[in-house]
Amino acid sequence: MSVDQINQSIQLLREDLLNHSLYSKIKNINDLQKFVETHIFAVWDFMSLLKSLQSQLTCTNTPWLPNKNSKTAYLINEIVLAEETDINQVGERKSHYELYLEAIKSFGADTNDIDLFLNKLKNEDIFSAINSLNVPKEVKYFLEFTFKIIEEGKPHKVAAAFTFGRENLIPSMFTAILKNFQKNFPDQDISKLIYYFERHIELDEDEHGPMALEMVTELAGNDPEKWQEIEEVSVEALKKRIGLWNSIESIIINKKVLV
């Protein structure tokens, strides 16, 4: 099996995401606030997938020991560099999570749920903290899936969720979201959010996406069992993303009904 075959097997799910009806539901600033207030959990848990790969593929402990595969170590370190220490619009160093948080606060989104969640992680295990969240069950399923993959500790499976569920998907998905923003928010100052999406599209399309695909290929090698697991994780990752999008769409629709 190969990355091309994985892409073929997930093509229909990718199309479902790229054509999701959620995008057309984000019509005003209140809708956008509801979108980002939930989407930020996906922005945050991506960073955990990233750091899980770095801890498995490089030496982050002392005493230092050589890496088993310097190629995969290089690939993940290059991705970490930009994701964890990129620059904002005025040249300040920020992680992509911090860029997103800064962006959504700029137009009044409520960050209380994510703030409380991260604070709980100081004293609770990840699954207890997820369970206590006051969010739709699909959001919890999305997060639980991520951390079960991380907890399992198989680099090729983490890389599958990271690559096919995130890096290789994001350029097309974020482009679809941006088209909606440009149509529905011509007079709103959401420049920081647009910068975040454009920055991700640029990095993932030109650099991180190809690097992530190369990393998957290196980790799977010629092992058919690993390729099978990569396909299964990739399919499930996209299904969980669709569930997340469905839940956000329901939040937006239900809020309008209540109003």
Side-chain angles (χ1 to χ4, degrees):
M1 199 176 285
S2 66
V3 294
D4 288 338
Q5 288 171 297
I6 300 293
N7 277 325
Q8 288 176 11
S9 69
I10 62 175
Q11 183 58 36
L12 291 178
L13 288 169
R14 281 176 58 92
E15 289 176 5
D16 285 346
L17 276 165
L18 298 182
N19 298 301
H20 200 285
S21 53
L22 165 65
Y23 312 137
S24 64
K25 300 294 191 302
I26 306 172
K27 296 180 178 179
N28 57 52
I29 201 67
N30 290 328
D31 299 338
L32 183 59
Q33 288 169 344
K34 291 302 173 187
F35 170 75
V36 299
E37 286 164 9
T38 302
H39 179 236
I40 194 169
F41 285 96
V43 174
W44 170 79
D45 89 329
F46 168 84
M47 299 301 293
S48 293
L49 282 170
L50 176 73
K51 298 303 284 186
S52 173
L53 282 169
Q54 187 183 37
S55 68
Q56 293 183 70
L57 302 180
T58 72
C59 182
T60 57
N61 300 315
T62 55
W64 179 86
L65 294 171
N67 299 305
K68 293 180 181 178
N69 185 330
S70 291
K71 186 173 185 179
T72 55
Y74 162 76
L75 291 168
I76 194 61
N77 277 334
E78 280 292 303
I79 296 172
V80 167
L81 180 65
E83 296 287 351
E84 201 168 32
T85 57
D86 204 1
I87 53 173
N88 64 11
Q89 289 168 298
V90 295
E92 298 169 331
R93 289 289 169 188
K94 302 273 185 178
S95 69
H96 281 183
Y97 171 79
E98 290 168 307
L99 285 180
Y100 197 80
L101 194 65
E102 185 179 75
I104 69 175
K105 284 181 176 179
S106 72
F107 56 87
D110 185 351
T111 63
N112 189 55
D113 284 343
I114 189 70
D115 293 339
L116 286 173
F117 175 67
L118 296 189
N119 193 52
K120 281 187 176 183
L121 289 177
K122 297 173 184 177
N123 302 303
E124 295 183 27
D125 71 86
I126 181 62
F127 295 105
S128 295
I130 291 171
N131 188 56
S132 67
L133 275 168
N134 184 29
V135 295
K137 62 183 186 299
E138 292 85 359
V139 183
K140 295 182 181 182
Y141 295 159
F142 183 91
L143 294 170
E144 286 170 349
F145 171 75
T146 294
F147 284 94
K148 284 176 181 175
I149 293 293
I150 289 172
E151 191 176 66
E152 192 175 350
K154 293 184 177 181
H156 65 283
K157 294 182 76 170
V158 179
F162 178 83
T163 301
F164 296 102
R166 306 298 182 94
E167 294 291 69
N168 200 43
L169 170 71
I170 280 173
S172 298
M173 187 171 67
F174 280 8
T175 297
I177 293 172
L178 269 181
K179 285 180 181 176
N180 177 71
F181 287 175
Q182 289 162 351
K183 180 178 71 175
N184 290 335
F185 301 95
D187 302 319
Q188 293 283 348
D189 183 9
I190 57 169
S191 58
K192 289 183 178 181
L193 186 64
I194 289 174
Y195 174 83
Y196 168 87
F197 281 116
E198 288 179 339
R199 185 70 178 141
H200 254 287
I201 292 168
E202 176 188 0
L203 284 172
D204 292 348
E205 196 166 52
D206 298 337
E207 300 175 31
H208 294 180
M211 284 180 169
L213 290 171
E214 191 175 354
M215 179 171 58
V216 167
T217 301
E218 282 287 317
L219 292 172
N222 296 316
D223 188 329
E225 184 177 343
K226 286 183 178 179
W227 280 112
Q228 181 62 38
E229 290 179 333
I230 286 167
E231 181 179 36
E232 290 169 358
V233 169
S234 301
V235 166
E236 194 60 30
L238 294 181
K239 287 181 177 178
K240 289 294 187 291
R241 171 71 74 163
I242 290 171
L244 179 70
W245 269 193
N246 290 344
S247 72
I248 297 175
E249 183 176 27
S250 294
I251 290 169
I252 292 172
I253 291 171
N254 290 337
K255 184 178 184 301
K256 287 180 177 178
V257 170
L258 291 173
V259 172

